[in-house]
Amino acid sequence: QVQLVESGGGLVQPGGSLRLSCVNSGSGFYDDTVGWFRQAPGKEREPISCINTRDDTTFYADSMRGRFTISRDNAKTTIYLHMNNVEPEDTAVYYCAKDDPLQMIFGFYYNRECKVDNFRSWGQGTQVTVSS
Protein backbone atom coordinates (compact mmCIF):
# COMPACT_ATOMS: atom_id res chain seq x y z
CA GLN A 1 0.00 0.00 0.00
CA VAL A 2 1.34 3.38 -0.97
CA GLN A 3 1.52 5.90 1.82
CA LEU A 4 3.56 8.99 1.10
CA VAL A 5 4.69 11.17 3.98
CA GLU A 6 6.23 14.58 3.49
CA SER A 7 8.32 16.33 6.11
CA GLY A 8 10.69 19.24 6.47
CA GLY A 9 8.29 22.13 6.08
CA GLY A 10 8.12 25.07 8.42
CA LEU A 11 8.81 28.76 8.72
CA VAL A 12 11.82 30.09 6.84
CA GLN A 13 13.04 33.61 6.22
CA PRO A 14 13.30 35.04 2.72
CA GLY A 15 16.59 34.07 1.16
CA GLY A 16 16.87 30.98 3.31
CA SER A 17 16.96 27.32 2.40
CA LEU A 18 14.86 24.31 3.22
CA ARG A 19 14.96 20.62 2.42
CA LEU A 20 11.74 18.68 2.12
CA SER A 21 11.62 14.89 2.31
CA CYS A 22 9.15 12.38 0.93
CA VAL A 23 9.07 8.80 2.20
CA ASN A 24 6.96 5.95 0.93
CA SER A 25 6.07 4.02 4.06
CA GLY A 26 4.78 1.09 2.03
CA SER A 27 7.99 0.53 0.09
CA GLY A 28 10.76 2.49 -1.54
CA PHE A 29 10.89 4.36 -4.81
CA TYR A 30 12.54 1.71 -6.94
CA ASP A 31 10.73 2.06 -10.24
CA ASP A 32 8.56 5.15 -10.09
CA THR A 33 8.16 8.69 -11.17
CA VAL A 34 7.99 10.89 -8.10
CA GLY A 35 7.06 14.52 -8.20
CA TRP A 36 6.97 17.54 -5.97
CA PHE A 37 4.04 19.90 -6.32
CA ARG A 38 2.78 22.87 -4.38
CA GLN A 39 -0.46 24.69 -3.78
CA ALA A 40 -0.54 28.26 -2.57
CA PRO A 41 -3.64 29.74 -0.94
CA GLY A 42 -6.28 30.47 -3.56
CA LYS A 43 -4.24 28.94 -6.35
CA GLU A 44 -4.23 25.68 -8.22
CA ARG A 45 -1.76 22.96 -7.44
CA GLU A 46 1.28 23.24 -9.68
CA PRO A 47 4.26 21.04 -10.53
CA ILE A 48 7.74 21.85 -9.31
CA SER A 49 9.87 18.91 -10.33
CA CYS A 50 9.75 15.19 -11.02
CA ILE A 51 12.29 12.42 -11.01
CA ASN A 52 12.24 9.01 -12.66
CA THR A 53 13.85 6.69 -10.14
CA ARG A 54 14.57 4.09 -12.80
CA ASP A 55 17.07 6.25 -14.68
CA ASP A 56 17.23 9.43 -12.53
CA THR A 57 16.02 11.70 -15.29
CA THR A 58 14.53 14.88 -13.90
CA PHE A 59 12.10 17.52 -15.04
CA TYR A 60 11.67 21.05 -13.72
CA ALA A 61 8.86 23.46 -14.37
CA ASP A 62 10.31 26.52 -16.07
CA SER A 63 9.41 28.86 -13.22
CA MET A 64 11.01 26.52 -10.67
CA ARG A 65 14.29 25.93 -12.44
CA GLY A 66 17.32 27.24 -10.62
CA ARG A 67 16.16 27.50 -7.00
CA PHE A 68 14.71 24.03 -6.56
CA THR A 69 16.53 20.72 -6.87
CA ILE A 70 15.04 17.24 -6.70
CA SER A 71 17.16 14.32 -5.59
CA ARG A 72 16.94 10.89 -3.98
CA ASP A 73 18.98 8.96 -1.47
CA ASN A 74 21.13 6.04 -2.59
CA ALA A 75 18.73 3.50 -1.11
CA LYS A 76 15.80 4.97 -3.08
CA THR A 77 13.75 5.34 0.08
CA THR A 78 13.52 9.13 0.19
CA ILE A 79 12.97 11.83 -2.40
CA TYR A 80 14.14 15.31 -1.51
CA LEU A 81 13.28 18.79 -2.65
CA HIS A 82 16.01 21.30 -1.94
CA MET A 83 14.74 24.86 -1.84
CA ASN A 84 17.21 27.72 -2.01
CA ASN A 85 16.86 31.48 -1.83
CA VAL A 86 13.21 31.12 -0.96
CA GLU A 87 10.77 33.96 -1.50
CA PRO A 88 7.45 34.83 0.17
CA GLU A 89 5.77 33.64 -3.03
CA ASP A 90 7.02 30.14 -2.24
CA THR A 91 4.63 29.95 0.69
CA ALA A 92 2.42 26.95 -0.01
CA VAL A 93 1.59 23.41 0.95
CA TYR A 94 4.12 21.14 -0.70
CA TYR A 95 3.09 17.68 -1.81
CA CYS A 96 4.89 14.67 -3.14
CA ALA A 97 3.22 12.21 -5.46
CA LYS A 98 4.21 8.98 -7.16
CA ASP A 99 3.09 6.78 -9.98
CA ASP A 100 4.42 4.31 -12.49
CA PRO A 101 7.25 5.68 -14.59
CA LEU A 102 5.33 5.26 -17.84
CA GLN A 103 1.89 6.38 -18.91
CA MET A 104 -0.16 5.22 -21.85
CA ILE A 105 -1.27 7.84 -24.33
CA PHE A 106 -3.34 6.68 -27.30
CA GLY A 107 -2.08 3.14 -26.93
CA PHE A 108 1.60 3.99 -26.63
CA TYR A 109 3.76 4.21 -23.51
CA TYR A 110 5.65 7.41 -22.72
CA ASN A 111 7.63 8.66 -19.77
CA ARG A 112 5.13 10.05 -17.27
CA GLU A 113 4.75 13.78 -17.62
CA CYS A 114 5.16 15.95 -14.57
CA LYS A 115 1.60 17.15 -14.32
CA VAL A 116 -0.81 17.16 -11.39
CA ASP A 117 -3.44 15.07 -13.17
CA ASN A 118 -0.92 12.35 -14.04
CA PHE A 119 -0.33 11.13 -10.48
CA ARG A 120 -2.59 8.87 -8.47
CA SER A 121 -0.83 8.57 -5.10
CA TRP A 122 -0.36 11.69 -2.99
CA GLY A 123 0.92 12.60 0.42
CA GLN A 124 -0.87 14.88 2.85
CA GLY A 125 1.49 17.76 2.26
CA THR A 126 3.81 19.86 4.38
CA GLN A 127 3.37 23.58 4.93
CA VAL A 128 6.16 25.94 3.96
CA THR A 129 5.86 29.54 5.05
CA VAL A 130 8.37 32.12 3.90
CA SER A 131 8.23 35.20 6.06
CA SER A 132 10.48 37.52 7.99
Side-chain angles (χ1 to χ4, degrees):
Q1 182 177 355
V2 176
Q3 186 171 1
L4 304 180
V5 179
E6 304 94 337
S7 62
L11 177 64
V12 59
Q13 293 186 343
S17 298
L18 209 59
R19 188 183 74 171
L20 306 182
S21 301
C22 174
V23 175
N24 179 7
S25 62
S27 65
F29 299 108
Y30 302 112
D31 191 17
D32 302 290
T33 290
V34 184
W36 281 100
F37 302 82
R38 72 182 185 184
Q39 187 165 17
K43 295 187 178 181
E44 294 186 352
R45 194 170 299 188
E46 61 179 345
I48 301 171
S49 180
C50 291
I51 183 169
N52 181 319
T53 62
R54 176 187 294 180
D55 58 16
D56 287 336
T57 55
T58 57
F59 166 86
Y60 291 89
D62 287 342
S63 61
M64 310 295 178
R65 197 180 300 274
R67 297 189 298 116
F68 296 90
T69 303
I70 194 169
S71 67
R72 62 163 180 85
D73 67 336
N74 289 336
K76 294 188 178 182
T77 61
T78 307
I79 306 296
Y80 301 104
L81 181 69
H82 306 264
M83 305 170 60
N84 296 313
N85 193 24
V86 295
E87 304 168 351
E89 292 73 23
D90 296 322
T91 294
V93 178
Y94 285 70
Y95 300 89
C96 70
K98 75 176 286 291
D99 213 307
D100 298 332
L102 302 178
Q103 63 181 113
M104 181 180 286
I105 302 175
F106 299 116
F108 294 91
Y109 282 100
Y110 298 89
N111 288 331
R112 186 169 298 279
E113 294 183 334
C114 194
K115 297 180 179 180
V116 171
D117 292 343
N118 283 352
F119 288 79
R120 291 171 289 183
S121 299
W122 291 83
Q124 293 300 307
T126 184
Q127 175 71 46
V128 172
T129 302
V130 182
S131 176
S132 55

